[in-house]
Amino acid sequence: MSGNHHDTSEHGPAARVKALEQLLIEKGLIDSAGIDQIVDAYENKIGPRNGARVVARAWTDPAFKKRLLTDAVAACGELGIAGPEGGHMVAVENTPRVHNMVVCTLCSCYPWPVLGLPPVWYKSFAYRSRAVSDPRGVLRDFGLELPDDVEIRVWDSSAEQRYLVLPERPPGTENFTEDELAALVTRDSMIGVAKVAPAKKQ
Amino acid sequence: MSDARFRELAAALGRDESSVFSAPWEARAFAIALGLSEAGLFTWDEFRAQLIAEVGASDRIRERDGTSDQGEYYQHFVRALETIVREKNIASGAELAAKIAELAAPAATNPNHRD
């Protein structure tokens, strides 16, 4: 293997990343401001609130929902939601009989434009190794007990395909506005490890 | 039957749920990787292949030893980033090692440095 003469693994990741950033800046390949911008975008701007807008629109606009389920990339684009890792998105719809949940068994593929970066558990060995073989057990660990007659479909993400779960609209929300609906939609419900809980209108 | 390892992980890492990154270096590593790929130095798919190799190697060790996941994802991420930077001749291992040493000993390279 090449590079063993200069093995950096004895150092902690913080020191190695700092050195790498510094080195790449000196080579003129990146700049600090650009790195800061990316961090800020993924910490504060690109996240599950985007996906929640998509879900709320789908709940209130049947034509949009149809477009979302046939071409999620184009439908999200209508709401101005696009970006890295957003080119191969597919939306899958939960119904009273079908529950969808998403995993990436190999690493961490995830639809960034609508959900941001994945949570720690999504990238964990425990979730990745069990979601396909024991989805019901995993959902139970998340506190979601599904009736036996509900079919669970597990979608394994890849470079070619990322998934957004369109959760069921909770009962009692008939008079909610689109914004009020969006506020109910959680990240976990769009990964498919939770349902959207009904909430009282204030 | 529930997997105790999964519940432990979820509980142990639950505190991080509100933030995307658990430490600043994770955020920097992610942004460097995305920045380099946006600059055209490699594609994100090429980086992903490297990441899958790192994650897969660690998964095989876990399967063999039955050890639990401590949330090391970004450590795999950093190794994958270092590898692709070397393989694409963006920077050599020697350059990186030298820079780590330089930053680890600021007093030796900066005569004005005082503790």
Side-chain angles (χ1 to χ4, degrees), chain A residues 6 8 16 19 21 26-27 35-36 42 85 106 108-109 117 120 123-125 128 130 141-142 187, chain B residues 2-3 6 9 13 17 20-21 25 28 44 48 55 59 69 73-74 82 90 93-95 99-100:
Chain A
H6 309 290
T8 57
R16 283 152 59 205
E21 181 176 354
E26 287 167 16
K27 286 174 177 283
I35 297 300
D36 289 344
Y42 282 90
E85 297 293 277
L106 292 182
S108 52
C109 298
L117 296 179
V120 172
K123 299 172 286 192
S124 72
F125 178 64
R128 290 184 293 107
R130 269 184 73 216
D141 282 349
F142 275 96
R187 176 197 66 203
Chain B
S2 270
D3 185 331
F6 183 71
L9 177 82
L13 301 175
E17 284 295 279
V20 175
F21 304 106
W25 65 264
R28 303 311 281 180
W44 193 261
R48 187 198 331 275
V55 169
D59 283 357
D69 192 330
Y73 171 81
Y74 272 103
E82 288 173 338
I90 297 165
E95 284 176 293
K99 184 55 74 181
I100 292 171

Side-chain angles (χ1 to χ4, degrees), chain B residues 31-83:
Chain B
I32 291 167
L34 186 57
L36 290 176
S37 82
E38 286 182 342
L41 291 156
F42 49 78
T43 67
W44 193 261
D45 281 352
E46 289 174 316
F47 176 70
R48 187 198 331 275
Q50 204 61 56
L51 183 58
I52 287 173
E54 290 289 347
V55 169
S58 139
D59 283 357
R60 283 189 290 281
I61 292 169
R62 288 212 184 86
E63 273 158 7
R64 191 192 64 203
D65 300 348
T67 50
S68 65
D69 192 330
Q70 306 299 319
E72 300 96 337
Y73 171 81
Y74 272 103
Q75 304 199 20
H76 306 319
F77 191 101
V78 170
R79 270 197 298 279
L81 179 57
E82 288 173 338
T83 303

Side-chain angles (χ1 to χ4, degrees), chain B residues 98-113:
Chain B
K99 184 55 74 181
I100 292 171
E102 181 193 322
L103 294 182
T109 53
N110 179 359
N112 299 320
H113 178 85

Side-chain angles (χ1 to χ4, degrees), chain A residues 106-186:
Chain A
L106 292 182
C107 56
S108 52
C109 298
Y110 196 69
W112 295 355
V114 282
L115 295 184
L117 296 179
V120 172
W121 56 259
Y122 184 85
K123 299 172 286 192
S124 72
F125 178 64
Y127 183 74
R128 290 184 293 107
S129 61
R130 269 184 73 216
V132 173
S133 62
D134 181 22
R136 232 168 254 281
V138 169
L139 292 179
R140 216 173 287 130
D141 282 349
F142 275 96
L144 179 59
E145 188 88 44
L146 290 175
D148 286 343
D149 61 349
V150 172
E151 178 195 345
I152 301 176
R153 293 184 188 158
V154 182
W155 301 90
D156 193 357
S157 311
S158 66
E160 287 76 37
Q161 210 90 285
R162 320 287 147 65
Y163 299 91
L164 173 72
V165 173
L166 174 57
E168 286 179 90
R169 180 170 174 166
T173 57
E174 292 74 15
N175 299 322
F176 279 48
T177 65
E178 205 175 310
D179 284 348
E180 288 167 337
L181 288 169
L184 300 179
V185 180
T186 61

